[in-house]
Amino acid sequence: MAPPGRLHNKILEMIAVIGLDESTTLLPTDPELLSEQLSGLNNVALAPQILAAVSGNIAIFPAMSQRPDPTYPPILRRTVSTSESFNQKRSQSVVLPKRKNTRMNGVMVGDVDGIAVLRRTITRRYSCRQVDFVKDSEAETVVKPLELPLNIETLMSLTTLCFPDECFVSVSNCTDTLRYLVLTDIVGTRTYAVSLCCYIRRHIYRDSNGFWRCGESLSSPNTGSRFDDKQIVFVPQCYVFISRSPYFTVMKDCLSRLVQKLKGSHDEWQQLLKEFALQLSMTPIPPPGCVYTQFQLYDVIMTIPAPCGQGRLPVDFNLGIVFQCLDSQTVLLIMTAIMTQQRLLFLSSSYVVLTLVIESFVHFLFPFHWNLTCVPLLPLSLLELVEAPGTFIMGCHIRHRHLVEDIEGLVTINLDNGTAIPCATIDLPLLPVNAVKIFKASIRRTIFPVETWRLEKLSTFGYEETRLAELKERNKLNAELSSIFLEFMVNLFRNLLMHISPEKRFFHREQFLEAVGDYDRPFYELFFTTDLFAAFLKERLDKKQDLWTERILRNKPLSRNSIVGTTTCSYERPWVRTGLCRNAFSLGNLMSDALDINVSGADAETVVTFKLPNFLYGLSHLYLDNCYQEVSLAVSGCDPLSDRHSTYLYLRGMFSAARNKKLSALEDFCSLATVSHKLFPIEFVLDILSSMSEKERQEFESSELYYKSAILREVQAINTTRSLHDDKPIVMELNKIPEKDIDLQWFVELLEMLQICSDAGTAERLFHSLTLGRADVVDPLTFEEFYKCWKDNEVQVHQTIQHLDPLDCVLKTSKLIKCCFGTGHILLTQNRLLYMEEGFIKIRPIVDFVDVKSIEKVQQRTFFREQWGIKIQRLDKREKSFQVSFREETHKWYLLIHEMWSGKILSEETKDPSVLHLAMQNVLIVDAYLHSGEAEISSHYRESIEMSPSLCYYMSKKTSKIKETNELLIKRLDPNAFESKRFAVESVLYTDGYRMKNPDRTDNIGSRIWCGMTNGKVRVFDMEAPFQEYHLFLARNKVKCMLLCPENEVWASSFDLTICIIENLPLVACNRIIQCHSEQIMDMVLSNDSRFVYAAAMNGKVMVWNVETKQKLNELDVIGDGNLRQILCHKDALWCCTHDKLLSVSFDGKVLGKMSFSDQCSSLSHLECFAITSQNEIWICFGGKSHVWICDLESLQRKTNFEVQGGGIGVIVCVQNKVWIGTKDGMLLLIDQESYATDVELIAHSDAICSAFVVDAVQQRVVTGSGCRDGKVAVWQWPLSGKK
């Protein structure tokens, strides 16, 4: 983090000057050459030195003094104490090495990209001293920041990288040259630099010790004259602009203007360097968005473009340079080599092209991050690094090709002729075919207007319109290319999120590989072993949201489509392998969709610029204050909902932190989270919080910001969770069965990771059956045998699926049997029984389960003996029954068929598709259990037949016989279908769909049911897709309420004190967060005109939010003693319900009426909920007892009261002339508003009804959600024909 007075997001870390000047000795790099014996320096390689290192905090000129410049930076007119510094743990800094005039043979140890290297050179003595504090006579004591941004090893490597072809003086002037550098320190931190080398005209002479030295710079144009030991030469100096972000074009422009200024007044180069470094260290980089920052450097306007997306490094050079050098096929080969972590060496005749091409590939790799060795510019002296073991990306001049072409294990890329040749020992896998086709089709439509020769030229100024036009075209091309490569990565790993379990830190590698084709599998098998994938997988398990995740959700929402039967369901259960079912997300299905590339960069027409104030070196201590004032004006002058407002809040927070105004910075960042949480700088906020002194912490904790900003507590929780996850290993495969006894908890986790089942109840029943109820653990041999039988059945079934209807999922294939159809095999699917004749690829249906009347075991007499068989009786008496004998497997098949038939019938009767999938799971488990019980090593050997009926859950399950329940029930949904633990549905919501028309095609967005869960997740079901499921991870606590607002926005409140705003059409996961409540939000309602949202907290405060601007308008303290439970907006009043009171409140907070139930609550328990009917009545329900009080709306007097069946009331809603009451024992009662009679009693759920939502008052449709024991959602409709 930056110290006080310096920006965290600055464009410049430091500027260094490398080369020779009048304060240095001209020493040859070859230790065999004695400087005092040289008659001249023509063609003699000299050792460059560090002439200056200037950051925003410190300026050092080591050739002149070992101490920092005491006048830099200009003195701040205030005292800065050490406790105010953000860097509490400050490492000791050292002064840059100063070279002495002695020469000794030896070696110097440098560090480039984290690799220790040795090179022969002149050894100098280094002076490593702590920088002293400096006092200024005209001001108070100022503590100087002691650190340079780069460590000494990385800084010393610049002497080699700036002169890759050695450092020479020249008798004639040379053209200024550019180098683009990438520096990596020993811990992997990467910085970027642009080096501009120019030549200064000087005279050289011998000193009294016989060493060659430089004299003052000469302004006379006379060159080549000689007299005595003096001569006129051109001496090289490199100016190196170093930044944390790869803004190569911006750095090049700034250096070009600086060098122009220096050439006009070189004697003042130190002062110009300090002014340059100080200004640019106070110049901010904008966050991702549509706002670019502008500043004036001398007389030129410079523009810093915003990054193209969250999580991606900015890129301001033309990415099209890659396709100027290479064709698309070669690019894909290089991407394969990078992703499989090969050793790559790039060759080019241009050092500039080398760096830009390599950085382009690193950029294209997103969402993967290359954290291994990367040295785009490898000088001759370090060329031996190519022989080093390990993975790397390096680049060197093509003139050195003969030195490296025989090195084994390299992928050599020649950028001059556009070829990439892997070594003969490297076997690169082929990329997935369909992803490659999509990529090539997109690239063919892209034009790459790049003039590579201009990249090596210095920037020219005076043509501002031309430069802005070039910036616009460059950004457009870069956005398109970034989008194409991002789509490529999406297509490669589109299904990966379906095979990971963040809670278990588990990735089912084997299942993912089974889902891909045999042709594509070698690539994934190799890639899954790389460090790139390990880091990427960790981010996904940490639930990271970035551009890759957003593209996944936008193109194809995360769903599980497979088993589509007569129930029109499309879950893909974990225990149903993708090899057995048709995968709806194969790349072949994406060809038409993925060609529609959506450019992710900001539209050039919408880009705005934020002009920074002019910089004056003498008034630099006021510059940040001026910037703060300018950006504050920008914040107040733009739309609060615009992207510009988010960017301005971000910049103002950074300026406040730089001004050491920590509370002001935190306030801006909290406001930023409510508008755009993606820009919220979590790491920076953590640093601010951890850097506070005790006094600052007390001030912060007593401030209003602390109580209203839940995001700050959320940041601390995220940091704790991250540290816990860092300690937990990631499991990618389970090739080895545990060698120790398996207890129940580990057993449940194993079944879930192996995707045998995720239902805790089923896992417990299996555990009891394997142990026979006699032990607390399952021995590993028994579990190994069970899992082996499970996998054997999978292999056997896989052989028959290519001959089946896509709607059928085969669960079991019999041995060769004899039946009334002949000799063949019986196939058990989720919907029916099939017969496959032996020797023929022909499938014949036997019976659908919905047409089965009974299944029983019978004795069958054959010519030789009697044996047990199975008789299936059809509902249609005109059709004959079907009989079959499975010989010794008859009992097993009876259980399997009976369980599947029972589950199918129950699923149809309850209209619950999850029942069908649980029955399928049970069938597979029973089969593996009985099969493994035949092995002597199993603990249930010879006892599996007696224990197996306990695993057939649905054989003994009774169906609902209440006619009204079946008739009024439309559908059931299970939002807990993929959870090992079931959670209550705290809130439900229904949103209508619509037709969205594109130029190319028409998309239907169906109606959706939203489920807010107690675990903080929101599950969304598409009613017309059919039942496509979306997963939105929002909160860290229960989602208590959801509200549909105008503009198709869903507001979801959570007990973590936040309100998340989700865009419904199209579905975008949580694009805004509102965090101003200090207590849990219990309820939210819309105003009558839908302009305002009233959010009620448990402490009795109601906040009023503007729906359009998302700004808080008012805060009403309606109930001082808290315990607010529900609010309702009716006509001109806001009705509020607590545990013992009901109040009518005006919209400005004035209490209009009040009803107290303190006396009744002592006997009837607390108030749970209420509703206002069309009869101008208030129905008040008590939670502990099933009592309903009916009061007049005007007089607030009780009219009547009655008791309903059930163990308490959970919810109440009004639908036309009916009141729907949900009880805590799962009953749904429909009561007439006029007669108060209960018309219908529905068995809605097996647990308390927690939530209800009126879908359509005209159609009289209602959605209900239940407690954790049931955890399901039901959709009901009252018949329109009349009273039931």
Side-chain angles (χ1 to χ4, degrees):
M1 174 175 293
R6 300 294 171 258
L7 273 178
H8 172 75
N9 60 328
K10 53 185 175 294
I11 183 67
L12 178 136
E13 290 294 320
M14 65 175 292
I15 184 170
V17 183
I18 313 294
L20 306 168
D21 67 359
E22 65 272 13
S23 61
T24 61
T25 304
L26 307 181
L27 298 176
T29 57
D30 189 350
E32 304 298 330
L33 296 177
L34 299 178
S35 177
E36 57 269 23
Q37 297 179 1
L38 294 175
S39 59
L41 297 179
N42 293 340
N43 300 321
V44 175
L46 303 176
Q49 302 182 30
I50 298 178
L51 306 179
V54 186
S55 69
N57 311 329
I58 189 172
I60 303 177
F61 302 93
M64 302 179 63
S65 173
Q66 295 187 18
R67 299 189 64 189
D69 188 335
T71 66
Y72 180 86
I75 300 302
L76 303 179
R77 300 301 178 184
R78 60 184 177 86
T79 301
V80 182
S81 64
T82 307
S83 64
E84 288 178 327
S85 174
F86 287 170
N87 295 327
Q88 289 190 334
K89 295 183 179 180
R90 180 175 294 167
S91 61
Q92 290 188 351
S93 66
V94 296
V95 178
L96 295 179
K98 180 180 178 181
R99 305 182 185 278
K100 296 195 68 178
N101 292 344
T102 57
R103 180 193 58 78
M104 298 167 47
N105 291 334
V107 294
M108 181 181 73
V109 180
D111 189 278
V112 180
D113 290 81
I115 299 178
V117 298
L118 302 177
R119 67 178 180 89
R120 296 181 60 83
T121 185
I122 306 298
T123 301
R124 284 94 180 173
R125 187 175 65 194
Y126 293 157
S127 175
C128 298
R129 301 176 51 207
Q130 181 174 347
V131 179
D132 297 329
F133 294 165
V134 180
K135 290 187 178 182
D136 190 279
S137 59
E138 299 180 358
E140 299 176 275
T141 302
V142 176
V143 177
K144 299 278 188 175
L146 305 182
E147 294 179 330
L148 283 171
L150 298 185
N151 60 39
I152 187 64
E153 292 82 6
T154 305
L155 194 57
M156 287 303 300
S157 68
L158 292 175
T159 59
T160 302
L161 297 176
C162 290
F163 297 96
D165 299 320
E166 301 290 357
C167 177
F168 298 92
V169 298
S170 175
V171 297
S172 59
N173 198 2
C174 299
T175 306
D176 296 343
T177 56
L178 284 166
R179 305 278 190 271
Y180 296 162
L181 309 176
V182 179
L183 311 173
T184 309
D185 62 18
I186 197 168
V187 297
T189 303
R190 187 170 297 173
T191 52
Y192 305 88
V194 172
S195 166
L196 197 161
C197 184
C198 59
Y199 287 77
I200 310 300
R201 189 170 180 268
R202 298 179 182 275
H203 76 278
I204 60 173
Y205 64 94
R206 289 183 185 274
D207 63 11
S208 59
N209 295 321
F211 289 95
W212 286 97
R213 300 184 67 88
C214 289
E216 299 279 339
S217 62
L218 301 178
S219 57
S220 172
N222 183 27
T223 60
S225 62
R226 292 177 178 272
F227 50 95
D228 297 332
D229 288 336
K230 298 179 180 180
Q231 59 180 346
I232 307 300
V233 297
F234 290 86
V235 179
Q237 282 188 358
C238 280
Y239 296 88
V240 187
F241 190 124
I242 302 172
S243 176
R244 293 291 179 188
S245 301
Y247 279 103
F248 290 117
T249 302
V250 174
M251 291 189 280
K252 168 187 166 182
D253 291 345
C254 294
L255 279 182
S256 299
R257 187 65 190 95
L258 174 64
V259 169
Q260 289 179 5
K261 190 76 172 177
L262 287 171
K263 288 182 177 179
S265 53
H266 192 272
D267 294 338
E268 302 176 1
W269 71 276
Q270 293 184 1
Q271 182 62 27
L272 289 173
L273 210 64
K274 291 188 291 184
E275 294 176 4
F276 179 87
L278 188 59
Q279 178 181 358
L280 291 176
S281 66
M282 295 184 180
T283 301
I285 296 173
C290 61
V291 177
Y292 295 179
T293 54
Q294 277 190 349
F295 63 98
Q296 183 171 334
L297 182 62
Y298 307 120
D299 56 348
V300 177
I301 299 297
M302 302 290 181
T303 302
I304 305 178
C308 62
Q310 192 68 24
R312 301 190 82 153
L313 288 174
V315 52
D316 70 337
F317 60 90
N318 202 317
L319 295 174
I321 187 175
V322 171
F323 293 92
Q324 288 290 318
C325 302
L326 307 164
D327 59 30
S328 60
Q329 184 63 38
T330 307
V331 168
L332 289 173
L333 187 147
I334 296 172
M335 289 295 293
T336 306
I338 294 176
M339 296 181 71
T340 55
Q341 292 188 185
Q342 306 298 329
R343 302 162 70 230
L344 288 85
L345 179 64
F346 288 79
L347 303 173
S348 176
S349 57
S350 169
Y351 286 118
V352 170
V353 171
L354 271 177
T355 303
L356 295 185
V357 169
I358 291 176
E359 275 304 300
S360 298
F361 275 107
V362 173
H363 177 83
F364 294 153
L365 201 58
F366 181 85
F368 304 96
H369 305 284
W370 184 267
N371 293 322
L372 304 172
T373 303
C374 181
V375 189
L377 197 157
L378 198 62
L380 176 62
S381 58
L382 299 179
L383 204 59
E384 60 191 20
L385 291 179
V386 179
E387 294 183 305
T391 302
F392 57 74
I393 299 176
M394 295 185 181
C396 71
H397 202 281
I398 199 168
R399 70 168 68 97
H400 307 313
R401 179 175 54 185
H402 65 285
L403 299 175
V404 298
E405 59 186 2
D406 294 330
I407 298 178
E408 289 290 329
L410 291 181
V411 178
T412 305
I413 299 99
N414 189 330
L415 298 179
D416 288 355
N417 61 18
T419 60
I421 304 176
C423 176
T425 59
I426 298 178
D427 184 17
L428 288 178
L430 296 176
L431 288 168
V433 177
N434 289 326
V436 170
K437 289 180 181 179
I438 297 170
F439 174 81
K440 289 184 176 180
S442 301
I443 291 297
R444 281 195 297 267
R445 302 196 306 268
T446 307
I447 302 175
F448 307 100
V450 183
E451 298 175 349
T452 55
W453 63 270
R454 298 182 60 184
L455 300 174
E456 303 183 16
K457 300 295 181 181
L458 272 65
S459 302
T460 57
F461 308 103
Y463 305 95
E464 296 301 325
E465 293 183 0
T466 303
R467 294 179 65 225
L468 290 176
E470 291 176 353
L471 174 62
K472 176 180 176 181
E473 291 300 322
R474 183 169 65 241
N475 289 345
K476 181 179 178 181
L477 176 61
N478 288 350
E480 185 173 359
L481 281 177
S482 298
S483 183
I484 290 173
F485 276 90
L486 178 60
E487 191 73 23
F488 177 64
M489 292 300 179
V490 166
N491 291 335
L492 286 179
F493 303 99
R494 184 176 297 272
N495 289 332
L496 183 131
L497 295 181
M498 298 171 59
H499 302 278
I500 65 174
S501 174
E503 290 77 13
K504 306 297 181 184
R505 310 292 288 173
F506 176 64
F507 166 55
H508 204 302
R509 176 180 178 271
E510 181 181 353
Q511 188 191 55
F512 181 94
L513 293 175
E514 288 178 358
V516 302
D518 295 338
Y519 180 87
D520 302 334
R521 193 168 300 160
F523 167 77
Y524 292 107
E525 289 177 341
L526 181 57
F527 181 65
F528 287 162
T529 64
T530 63
D531 296 328
L532 282 176
F533 179 74
F536 171 78
L537 180 61
K538 183 180 182 301
E539 292 177 344
R540 301 310 124 185
L541 293 175
D542 291 339
K543 303 178 183 178
K544 180 178 181 179
Q545 299 291 320
D546 54 16
L547 290 175
W548 181 84
T549 310
E550 290 179 5
R551 184 66 67 89
I552 286 280
L553 295 176
R554 184 169 70 238
N555 286 5
K556 284 290 183 180
L558 180 60
S559 66
R560 294 166 169 81
N561 297 334
S562 64
I563 312 163
V564 184
T566 57
T567 56
T568 66
C569 166
S570 61
Y571 294 98
E572 180 180 328
R573 302 300 295 173
W575 50 81
V576 182
R577 280 79 66 196
T578 53
L580 308 184
C581 306
R582 303 301 186 264
N583 194 338
F585 282 163
S586 65
L587 287 175
N589 297 332
L590 299 175
M591 287 294 292
S592 60
D593 291 341
L595 290 177
D596 184 18
I597 298 298
N598 185 6
V599 176
S600 60
D603 187 354
E605 298 297 333
T606 64
V607 166
V608 296
T609 57
F610 172 67
K611 181 70 163 49
L612 296 173
N614 292 332
F615 177 84
L616 294 177
Y617 183 76
L619 300 176
S620 59
H621 59 284
L622 301 177
Y623 183 69
L624 290 176
D625 295 335
N626 295 336
C627 292
Y628 178 85
Q629 294 173 5
E630 289 291 331
V631 76
S632 296
L633 291 175
V635 168
S636 60
C638 67
D639 183 1
L641 296 181
S642 65
D643 292 337
R644 286 186 296 162
H645 187 261
S646 305
T647 299
Y648 293 148
L649 283 176
Y650 178 93
L651 292 175
R652 190 170 70 175
M654 289 297 176
F655 284 131
S656 295
R659 297 166 61 239
N660 205 31
K661 305 292 185 181
K662 299 179 182 179
L663 290 182
S664 178
L666 292 175
E667 185 175 359
D668 279 332
F669 291 140
C670 291
S671 299
L672 173 64
T674 67
V675 180
S676 176
H677 74 284
K678 297 176 184 177
L679 295 184
F680 183 76
I682 294 179
E683 300 293 341
F684 187 65
V685 170
L686 279 173
D687 289 342
I688 293 178
L689 294 175
S690 62
S691 69
M692 286 183 172
S693 64
E694 187 62 30
K695 179 181 178 181
E696 290 172 332
R697 189 174 299 280
Q698 292 177 358
E699 180 184 356
F700 169 64
E701 292 180 354
S702 61
S703 66
E704 185 180 3
L705 174 67
Y706 179 78
Y707 291 100
K708 291 187 176 181
S709 300
I711 185 66
L712 300 179
R713 293 184 286 272
E714 183 78 6
V715 167
Q716 296 287 1
I718 290 174
N719 190 47
T720 303
T721 303
R722 182 187 306 166
S723 61
L724 293 175
H725 281 174
D726 289 342
D727 297 334
K728 192 170 183 180
I730 297 174
V731 181
M732 290 182 61
E733 53 187 338
L734 290 174
N735 291 331
K736 293 184 178 179
I737 299 299
E739 299 177 355
K740 298 181 180 180
D741 290 340
I742 307 168
D743 61 14
L744 177 59
Q745 180 180 356
W746 178 226
F747 182 79
V748 174
E749 292 182 1
L750 271 178
L751 293 185
E752 184 177 4
M753 288 190 292
L754 293 170
Q755 301 206 354
I756 295 175
C757 79
S758 61
D759 180 68
T762 303
E764 292 176 4
R765 288 192 293 272
L766 178 59
F767 182 86
H768 178 78
S769 299
L770 289 175
T771 59
L772 303 176
R774 305 168 188 166
D776 297 330
V777 294
V778 174
D779 67 88
L781 292 178
T782 298
F783 187 83
E784 182 178 6
E785 183 65 24
F786 171 82
Y787 184 59
K788 176 179 176 294
C789 295
W790 171 277
K791 298 296 292 185
D792 289 345
N793 179 56
E794 180 179 279
V795 173
Q796 182 183 13
V797 164
H798 186 71
Q799 300 173 358
T800 62
I801 63 173
Q802 60 267 31
H803 311 302
L804 294 179
D805 188 289
L807 297 181
D808 284 316
C809 178
V810 177
L811 303 173
K812 179 67 177 175
T813 302
S814 73
K815 297 178 181 178
L816 188 64
I817 55 92
K818 178 183 178 182
C819 65
C820 55
F821 289 167
T823 303
H825 301 272
I826 300 295
L827 308 181
L828 173 63
T829 74
Q830 84 280 19
N831 293 321
R832 54 183 176 168
L833 285 177
L834 303 174
Y835 170 77
M836 183 172 66
E837 189 173 352
E838 177 69 9
F840 296 91
I841 308 176
K842 187 176 180 181
I843 305 295
R844 179 178 176 180
I846 298 176
V847 63
D848 290 346
F849 288 129
V850 293
D851 298 327
V852 173
K853 179 180 180 181
S854 64
I855 300 176
E856 55 184 345
K857 288 195 295 183
V858 295
Q859 285 279 353
Q860 292 182 342
R861 181 180 300 275
T862 66
F863 183 77
F864 299 99
R865 57 189 172 91
E866 289 187 354
Q867 59 185 8
W868 284 102
I870 298 176
K871 180 180 179 181
I872 301 176
Q873 189 74 33
R874 293 178 172 87
L875 291 173
D876 190 347
K877 298 181 179 180
R878 293 172 297 179
E879 297 187 15
K880 295 182 179 180
S881 60
F882 176 79
Q883 295 191 19
V884 59
S885 175
F886 295 93
R887 289 175 298 206
E888 68 276 4
E889 290 189 336
T890 296
H891 178 72
K892 176 200 291 188
W893 273 89
Y894 172 75
L895 292 177
L896 300 183
I897 296 175
H898 205 294
E899 175 70 5
M900 194 66 252
W901 170 57
S902 302
K904 178 67 174 179
I905 297 303
L906 184 62
S907 175
E908 292 291 324
E909 290 185 354
T910 61
K911 300 175 183 177
D912 186 356
S914 64
V915 171
L916 178 67
H917 304 298
L918 289 174
M920 296 169 63
Q921 164 193 294
N922 293 342
V923 166
L924 296 174
I925 289 176
V926 170
D927 175 65
Y929 177 78
L930 290 172
H931 193 187
S932 61
E934 299 172 1
E936 295 183 3
I937 61 173
S938 299
S939 59
H940 55 293
Y941 176 62
R942 291 182 177 177
E943 298 187 52
S944 59
I945 295 179
E946 290 77 9
M947 297 296 296
S948 57
S950 63
L951 297 175
C952 299
Y953 178 76
Y954 292 108
M955 282 182 62
S956 58
K957 190 75 172 177
K958 300 297 183 181
T959 62
S960 172
K961 298 302 183 181
I962 298 181
K963 181 180 178 182
E964 290 82 358
T965 300
N966 296 336
E967 289 183 350
L968 300 187
L969 179 64
I970 300 175
K971 296 184 190 308
R972 284 189 192 271
L973 302 172
D974 187 5
N976 287 290
F978 301 97
E979 301 285 352
S980 58
K981 180 180 179 181
R982 303 191 73 79
F983 298 94
V985 184
E986 281 289 332
S987 55
V988 289
L989 180 69
Y990 179 92
T991 58
D992 291 321
Y994 84 126
R995 296 180 66 86
M996 180 175 60
K997 295 186 178 180
N998 289 341
D1000 299 330
R1001 61 188 187 272
T1002 300
D1003 297 330
N1004 289 329
I1005 296 182
S1007 301
R1008 292 168 174 157
I1009 290 182
W1010 302 60
C1011 309
M1013 313 299 292
T1014 53
N1015 62 350
K1017 296 180 181 178
V1018 172
R1019 297 280 171 86
V1020 185
F1021 293 90
D1022 196 321
M1023 295 286 288
E1024 300 172 11
F1027 286 102
Q1028 198 170 43
E1029 183 183 358
Y1030 307 80
H1031 297 252
L1032 305 177
F1033 302 95
L1034 290 181
R1036 306 188 69 84
N1037 208 325
K1038 64 173 64 176
V1039 181
K1040 181 62 177 177
C1041 177
M1042 290 186 292
L1043 190 66
L1044 179 63
C1045 295
E1047 304 300 329
N1048 282 307
E1049 289 181 340
V1050 174
W1051 291 40
S1053 67
S1054 167
F1055 267 23
D1056 65 1
L1057 316 184
T1058 63
I1059 299 175
C1060 298
I1061 302 176
I1062 308 169
E1063 188 176 344
N1064 180 32
L1065 301 173
L1067 188 64
V1068 178
C1070 190
N1071 56 358
R1072 299 185 192 279
I1073 299 178
I1074 295 177
Q1075 309 201 23
C1076 282
H1077 288 269
S1078 56
E1079 289 285 343
Q1080 291 93 340
I1081 304 170
M1082 300 298 296
D1083 199 6
M1084 293 189 302
V1085 294
L1086 263 178
S1087 62
N1088 295 325
D1089 57 4
S1090 300
R1091 294 173 53 200
F1092 310 108
V1093 169
Y1094 295 88
M1098 184 180 289
N1099 59 1
K1101 298 189 180 207
V1102 177
M1103 289 193 178
V1104 186
W1105 297 92
N1106 187 298
V1107 173
E1108 183 179 357
T1109 64
K1110 314 297 186 297
Q1111 300 297 309
K1112 186 178 75 169
L1113 302 179
N1114 198 4
E1115 181 175 331
L1116 311 178
D1117 191 0
V1118 297
I1119 302 174
D1121 58 354
N1123 292 316
L1124 185 58
R1125 307 183 66 87
Q1126 181 188 356
I1127 59 175
L1128 187 64
C1129 187
H1130 182 74
K1131 295 184 179 179
D1132 297 329
L1134 195 65
W1135 293 80
C1136 306
C1137 174
T1138 71
H1139 73 293
D1140 61 354
K1141 290 189 290 291
L1142 185 66
L1143 294 90
S1144 173
V1145 182
S1146 66
F1147 293 130
D1148 58 0
K1150 182 180 179 181
V1151 177
L1152 304 177
K1154 180 178 179 180
M1155 299 177 63
S1156 178
F1157 297 88
S1158 301
D1159 297 337
Q1160 291 78 9
C1161 287
S1162 60
S1163 59
L1164 300 179
S1165 184
H1166 61 275
L1167 299 184
E1168 182 70 27
C1169 53
F1170 75 99
I1172 299 177
T1173 70
S1174 59
Q1175 306 295 322
N1176 288 326
E1177 295 176 339
I1178 306 176
W1179 290 46
I1180 304 169
C1181 303
F1182 292 84
K1185 303 288 185 178
S1186 301
H1187 281 261
V1188 179
W1189 281 35
I1190 301 175
C1191 303
D1192 183 76
L1193 182 63
E1194 300 296 334
S1195 64
L1196 301 183
Q1197 297 299 314
R1198 184 179 65 172
K1199 296 174 63 176
T1200 185
N1201 66 284
F1202 55 88
E1203 184 177 1
V1204 298
Q1205 295 183 5
I1209 297 175
V1211 295
I1212 180 172
V1213 293
C1214 296
V1215 185
Q1216 288 194 351
N1217 63 339
K1218 295 290 185 296
V1219 175
W1220 296 53
I1221 292 179
T1223 68
K1224 293 187 176 180
D1225 59 2
M1227 297 293 293
L1228 190 60
L1229 310 177
L1230 278 66
I1231 303 176
D1232 187 81
Q1233 294 183 17
E1234 297 179 359
S1235 64
Y1236 309 142
T1238 301
D1239 289 342
V1240 178
E1241 295 181 359
L1242 305 177
I1243 302 178
H1245 299 278
S1246 59
D1247 197 1
I1249 299 178
C1250 301
S1251 53
F1253 181 81
V1254 179
V1255 176
D1256 190 336
V1258 177
Q1259 295 288 329
Q1260 300 193 51
R1261 296 173 65 185
V1262 174
V1263 180
T1264 58
S1266 61
C1268 60
R1269 290 199 305 271
D1270 182 72
K1272 296 181 181 180
V1273 172
V1275 184
W1276 310 86
Q1277 181 169 11
W1278 178 255
L1280 301 179
S1281 57
K1283 201 174 192 179
K1284 191 71 186 171

